[in-house]
Amino acid sequence: MQKSTIGLRSHLWPGQSEGDVDKEAIVVSNLSKRFGKFVAVDGISFHVRKGEIYGFLGPNGAGKSTTIRMLCGLLMPSSGTAIVAGFDVRRESESVKEHIGYMSQRFSLYEDLTVEENILFYGGIYGLSNAPLEQRKEWVLGMAGLTGKEQMMTRDLAGGWKQRLALGCAMLHEPEVIFLDEPTAGVSPVSRRSFWNLIHEMSQRGTTIFVTTHYLDEAEYCNTIGLIYAGRLISQGSPRKLKEQLSEYQIFEIRGTRIVEGMEILQDQPWVAETSIFGTAMHISVSGIRDAERRIRRTLSSQDIDVHSVQTISPSLEDVFLHLIASEDSRRQTGDSTR
């Protein structure tokens, strides 16, 4: 089937020429999904280049899963266009499915099958057989570190092994684009890091990765991040570019006693822009003052809160996302619908 050019030619990005469109794995333009009066996804636009790792982040209910279902050809958009692996999700959904892989946080494996049986089952779904399937099976076993464990029951595998096996099954047909929905949920930090190393290897070989995660430290591994909130894409860019949105602020990490009470006190100060709790510490953002540390210590001490340390820190992605969400909430409350 000839690949669609409907969304590719009609939606060029700033600085992009028609000769660049073949470099795009995903092109989304004004994509929306409504369920009755409820708008789950509200006119989002973005593009993902071939071989890129695109992190799609947002709180629960933001529209992440609905967007992924539309991009995978499983859910018809209400309006807008999306081209995935060169195919229009509206008119060519079956072709989209043939050219993508999908892995969910539940790993999409059959627990009562062996490792080999899972691989052969998914290979059959993707139309592989005989020598090609045998070759891809050996690749999956090697990639997942399961060579020699073909007859193990999948339910007996450790979380990291299940994770890599699920990824291998999703990659059996060598898709151009793979969607990973919370792929590291429930596995150890060591397995998470190993998994991201594997993702980067696949990206370097030209596979496009579209990933959602609730671990913000993992988002640092993405080339580009899109933040969706209440159905709208409120910001996107590289991790460095997103952090630059807080360049006008000084950010302090404060440790001491009665942290929650201290945060409530500081957030009422006119020179404090934003406050948030980070574990046993709090972060506050200030702008346009030179003696912020002295003010912080004096304000908290006046309320008998002991301050153990006040340190200037670089913004984390969590700082950025909290700032962006607070800004979006403020715009909505004031009736400003500018995106």
Side-chain angles (χ1 to χ4, degrees), residues 9 12 16-23:
R9 304 296 177 188
L12 296 178
Q16 183 185 43
S17 68
E18 288 195 1
D20 292 329
V21 295
D22 289 337
K23 299 176 183 178

Side-chain angles (χ1 to χ4, degrees), residues 69 71-75 84-85 87 89 92-102 126 173 175 177:
R69 290 176 65 195
L71 297 183
C72 290
L74 301 173
L75 186 64
V84 177
F87 297 97
V89 299
E92 304 162 306
S93 61
E94 292 306 312
S95 295
V96 169
K97 295 170 189 174
E98 292 172 4
H99 288 79
I100 65 170
Y102 174 78
Y126 294 132
H173 57 311
V177 181

Side-chain angles (χ1 to χ4, degrees), residues 223-242:
N223 304 119
T224 305
I225 297 169
L227 176 61
I228 187 171
Y229 179 61
R232 293 184 180 178
L233 194 66
I234 62 174
S235 190
Q236 60 182 326
S238 67
R240 179 179 61 82
K241 286 290 186 183
L242 290 177

Side-chain angles (χ1 to χ4, degrees), residues 25-77:
I26 302 172
V27 177
V28 174
S29 179
N30 297 316
L31 192 68
S32 296
K33 181 61 183 179
R34 293 178 293 276
F35 297 96
K37 294 183 179 180
F38 174 67
V39 182
V41 177
D42 188 6
I44 64 174
S45 298
F46 62 89
H47 66 147
V48 182
R49 297 177 71 83
K50 291 181 179 178
E52 184 177 18
I53 302 174
Y54 188 93
F56 196 54
L57 309 183
N60 289 339
K64 299 190 301 296
S65 295
T66 301
T67 300
I68 288 178
R69 290 176 65 195
M70 287 191 286
L71 297 183
C72 290
L74 301 173
L75 186 64
M76 185 65 65

Side-chain angles (χ1 to χ4, degrees), residues 18-307:
E18 288 195 1
D20 292 329
V21 295
D22 289 337
K23 299 176 183 178
E24 309 293 354
I26 302 172
V27 177
V28 174
S29 179
N30 297 316
L31 192 68
S32 296
K33 181 61 183 179
R34 293 178 293 276
F35 297 96
K37 294 183 179 180
F38 174 67
V39 182
V41 177
D42 188 6
I44 64 174
S45 298
F46 62 89
H47 66 147
V48 182
R49 297 177 71 83
K50 291 181 179 178
E52 184 177 18
I53 302 174
Y54 188 93
F56 196 54
L57 309 183
N60 289 339
K64 299 190 301 296
S65 295
T66 301
T67 300
I68 288 178
R69 290 176 65 195
M70 287 191 286
L71 297 183
C72 290
L74 301 173
L75 186 64
M76 185 65 65
S78 299
S79 59
T81 61
I83 308 297
V84 177
F87 297 97
D88 187 297
V89 299
R90 284 178 175 276
R91 300 186 304 108
E92 304 162 306
S93 61
E94 292 306 312
S95 295
V96 169
K97 295 170 189 174
E98 292 172 4
H99 288 79
I100 65 170
Y102 174 78
M103 174 185 164
S104 72
Q105 59 182 308
R106 296 184 179 179
F107 303 152
S108 305
L109 296 171
Y110 288 90
E111 298 276 315
D112 55 347
L113 297 182
T114 66
V115 168
E116 182 177 46
E117 286 169 341
N118 262 297
I119 296 172
L120 296 178
F121 174 77
Y122 279 100
I125 289 177
Y126 294 132
L128 300 174
S129 61
N130 303 324
L133 177 55
E134 185 65 24
Q135 183 181 25
R136 295 301 293 170
K137 183 187 80 171
E138 294 304 316
W139 175 83
V140 172
L141 292 170
M143 178 274 292
L146 290 170
T147 301
K149 298 180 174 62
E150 294 90 337
Q151 301 311 312
M152 281 189 67
M153 297 301 295
T154 300
R155 62 173 171 265
D156 295 329
L157 296 176
W161 274 344
K162 283 185 182 179
Q163 179 192 55
R164 292 191 294 273
L165 175 60
L167 178 63
C169 287
M171 295 288 295
L172 271 168
H173 57 311
E174 301 181 82
E176 299 173 39
V177 181
I178 184 163
F179 292 88
L180 306 176
D181 192 6
E182 304 282 0
T184 59
V187 300
S188 70
V190 173
S191 294
R192 285 171 52 199
R193 182 55 193 246
S194 174
F195 187 78
W196 274 96
N197 289 338
L198 187 57
I199 288 175
H200 273 275
E201 289 177 14
M202 291 180 173
S203 171
Q204 290 167 4
R205 293 172 185 159
T207 302
T208 304
I209 314 292
F210 189 97
V211 59
T212 70
T213 178
H214 64 270
Y215 296 112
L216 290 180
D217 59 317
E218 292 186 347
E220 298 275 2
Y221 303 142
C222 299
N223 304 119
T224 305
I225 297 169
L227 176 61
I228 187 171
Y229 179 61
R232 293 184 180 178
L233 194 66
I234 62 174
S235 190
Q236 60 182 326
S238 67
R240 179 179 61 82
K241 286 290 186 183
L242 290 177
K243 291 175 184 178
E244 287 176 358
Q245 298 188 49
L246 291 182
S247 60
E248 66 180 278
Y249 297 98
Q250 265 189 299
I251 300 177
F252 293 90
E253 182 175 84
I254 304 163
R255 296 185 180 275
T257 60
R258 295 155 49 205
I259 286 296
V260 174
E261 184 179 344
M263 184 189 73
E264 293 173 348
I265 292 168
L266 287 174
Q267 68 187 9
D268 289 333
Q269 304 303 310
W271 43 273
V272 174
E274 293 173 354
T275 62
S276 56
I277 293 292
F278 280 72
T280 59
M282 70 172 117
H283 288 188
I284 75 163
S285 304
V286 303
S287 179
I289 61 172
R290 296 183 178 180
D291 60 342
E293 182 175 344
R294 181 181 64 82
R295 292 194 188 196
I296 291 168
R297 290 183 179 276
R298 184 179 64 190
T299 301
L300 294 177
S301 296
S302 70
Q303 300 297 319
D304 297 323
I305 294 176
D306 293 330
V307 178

